[in-house]
Amino acid sequence: MRHAEAEQVVTLFREHYNIPLVHVDAADLFIDALQACGPDPEAKRKTIGKLFIDVFEAEARKIGGAEFLAQGTLYPDVIESVSFTGGPSVTIKSHHNVGGLPARMNMKLVEPLRELFKDEVRVLGRELGLPDAFVGRHPFPGPGLAIRCPGEITRDKLDILRKADAIYLEEIRRAGLYDVIWQAFAVLLPVKTVGVMGDGRTYDHVLALRAVTSVDGMTADFYPFDMAFLGRVATRIINEVKGINRVTYDVTSKPPGTIEWE
């Protein structure tokens, strides 16, 4: 998860709804499994999908009587994962909540938003009176930072990415751009380059920044930041996050690139 993500989501739900929310920290379980499954993006997604269900079913057994698993699956998840009509289609990515789920589950799946796009869901959320803190949040992939860390997953790499991503989003909010951008995030590349800090040589990771505008997530354009903003973000990240010595900006639209890197 991103920096303080779990705490923020738990707080949002507990402040707005009187429900017996159960929060489970299963980070170690997921990271250990990801380290064992290797760098392949599809293997990562399917590993996360299986563990996702395993954790839910284990918690359901503890409280007893849980029959349904409700998910916020959207139509783009379905399109990229499986053929919605049952006809032939190419799997772009196995979204953990669609193609990444195990074939056999003890709970019944409930997906009321499955045939809606993100913009339609936001209209629905506002119609239902949901707080802007919920409705306006940028999309965040179910597999989390695992698919923003191409290559092998390690705790150190996730920590580096988490810190850099927090700085990037902080600067976007400070510039008043959060609600203008569809989705923004950092990607820690499996590449190291030579740099210089003070009088010393560094050999550290490259970080890519991504920000896109979109309506429904099916197509997207990169957000045209001004260079002063990108320079400010890059300088902060390199100075404040140990392990990164170079920052790039992804100017690929969708298509041909997907929004997420994996």
Side-chain angles (χ1 to χ4, degrees):
M1 302 295 280
R2 291 174 292 193
H3 176 68
E5 179 96 23
E7 294 86 350
Q8 290 168 8
V9 172
V10 169
T11 299
L12 274 176
F13 273 89
R14 287 187 172 150
E15 285 183 352
H16 290 94
Y17 301 102
N18 182 25
I19 58 174
L21 180 67
V22 177
H23 168 229
V24 180
D25 184 348
D28 290 341
L29 179 69
F30 279 83
I31 292 172
D32 289 345
L34 286 165
Q35 287 177 327
C37 82
D40 180 68
E42 279 294 290
K44 287 181 186 178
R45 286 173 172 272
K46 289 183 182 297
T47 296
I48 289 168
K50 180 182 181 302
L51 287 178
F52 173 73
I53 295 301
D54 289 347
V55 172
F56 262 93
E57 291 187 336
E59 292 302 315
R61 285 193 293 273
K62 290 179 186 178
I63 63 174
E67 296 181 35
F68 300 97
L69 171 62
Q71 294 196 138
T73 304
L74 303 184
Y75 194 37
D77 300 340
V78 178
I79 293 172
E80 290 191 342
S81 297
V82 293
S83 171
F84 186 69
T85 61
S89 67
V90 175
T91 297
I92 307 299
K93 298 174 181 176
S94 293
H95 287 261
H96 84 291
N97 53 340
V98 187
L101 294 180
R104 298 181 66 86
M105 288 172 42
N106 294 324
M107 288 184 286
K108 299 171 186 173
L109 217 52
V110 179
E111 297 175 312
L113 310 177
R114 187 181 173 90
E115 296 181 45
L116 299 180
F117 290 98
K118 188 73 173 184
D119 58 320
E120 295 172 321
V121 173
R122 284 187 166 135
V123 171
L124 178 61
R126 292 188 178 101
E127 186 70 21
L128 292 171
L130 295 181
D132 285 340
F134 282 94
V135 178
R137 276 171 62 89
H138 283 187
F140 184 61
L145 299 183
I147 57 169
R148 294 178 178 176
C149 208
E152 301 285 349
I153 297 295
T154 69
R155 285 172 174 79
D156 286 345
K157 286 167 69 176
L158 291 172
D159 285 340
I160 291 170
L161 177 57
R162 199 171 282 122
K163 292 171 185 173
D165 189 74
I167 291 172
Y168 183 35
L169 290 177
E170 180 183 305
E171 288 293 335
I172 285 174
R173 290 184 184 278
R174 185 176 293 168
L177 297 173
Y178 186 85
D179 293 330
V180 178
I181 293 169
W182 164 272
Q183 192 173 0
F185 56 91
V187 181
L188 189 68
L189 305 186
V191 175
K192 287 190 174 183
T193 65
V194 175
V196 57
M197 293 287 282
D199 295 326
R201 174 188 184 272
T202 62
Y203 186 60
D204 287 326
H205 290 282
V206 178
L207 185 83
L209 302 178
R210 180 87 160 130
V212 298
T213 57
S214 181
V215 174
D216 54 19
M218 295 302 299
T219 61
D221 293 314
F222 68 88
Y223 185 78
F225 288 121
D226 64 65
M227 294 306 295
F229 175 86
L230 288 173
R232 185 165 65 251
V233 172
T235 299
R236 274 200 65 190
I237 288 172
I238 292 169
N239 287 339
E240 297 177 30
V241 183
K242 186 177 180 182
I244 296 172
N245 69 359
R246 195 177 298 268
V247 175
T248 67
Y249 185 56
D250 181 356
V251 293
T252 312
S253 295
K254 177 184 180 180
T258 53
I259 295 176
E260 297 286 347
W261 278 44
E262 287 195 336

